[in-house]
Amino acid sequence: VQLVESGGDSVQPGGSLRLSCVASGFPFNRFGMTWLRQPPGKQIEWVSTIGSTGEPTSYAPSVKGRFTISRDNAKNTMYLQLNSLRPEDTAVYYCVQFGIDRPRSRGAQVTVSS
């Protein structure tokens, strides 16, 4: 299993980013997938999950209405669109297979600061 995140950046509050997660080494289209994040000095927290076909989707209350999860099974890629970013969204964002709570990948750093 290999998962590679990209798209992290430093943005101002209110800004937007799109994170990508490219998967390999397993049948991507058979797995639900999840985004996790770890804010500086805090525990890893769940952000969003998507089913193997793109549905259903679910979100943590803190990001619902601002973030959108999606996937393209033809490209073995999952996405997370982050809108209306807040300083408290600053974290390293990781993608994992559904049911995994400890990421093994490098993650993508998102920093929201004015």
Side-chain angles (χ1 to χ4, degrees):
V1 173
Q2 185 173 17
L3 298 164
V4 180
E5 302 90 347
S6 63
D9 205 346
S10 294
V11 297
Q12 293 186 341
S16 296
L17 286 173
R18 188 175 83 155
L19 305 182
S20 299
C21 168
V22 178
S24 61
F26 67 100
F28 180 72
N29 61 0
R30 296 184 184 179
F31 281 76
M33 296 292 295
T34 290
W35 284 99
L36 304 174
R37 69 183 182 184
Q38 186 167 26
K42 296 184 178 181
Q43 301 279 1
I44 290 175
E45 59 188 43
W46 171 71
V47 176
S48 183
T49 293
I50 188 168
S52 60
T53 62
E55 292 185 350
T57 59
S58 56
Y59 299 90
S62 60
V63 308
K64 192 171 184 179
R66 301 188 298 121
F67 292 7
T68 303
I69 192 171
S70 62
R71 64 191 294 162
D72 184 340
N73 285 346
K75 296 182 178 179
N76 279 9
T77 302
M78 177 175 66
Y79 305 97
L80 187 67
Q81 178 69 39
L82 293 68
N83 295 331
S84 302
L85 281 161
R86 305 168 179 169
E88 54 264 38
D89 295 318
T90 295
V92 179
Y93 286 71
Y94 302 94
C95 59
V96 296
Q97 294 173 324
F98 176 69
I100 302 297
D101 59 4
R102 287 288 183 264
R104 296 184 178 181
S105 50
R106 179 176 295 183
Q109 175 70 52
V110 173
T111 302
V112 185
S113 174
S114 55

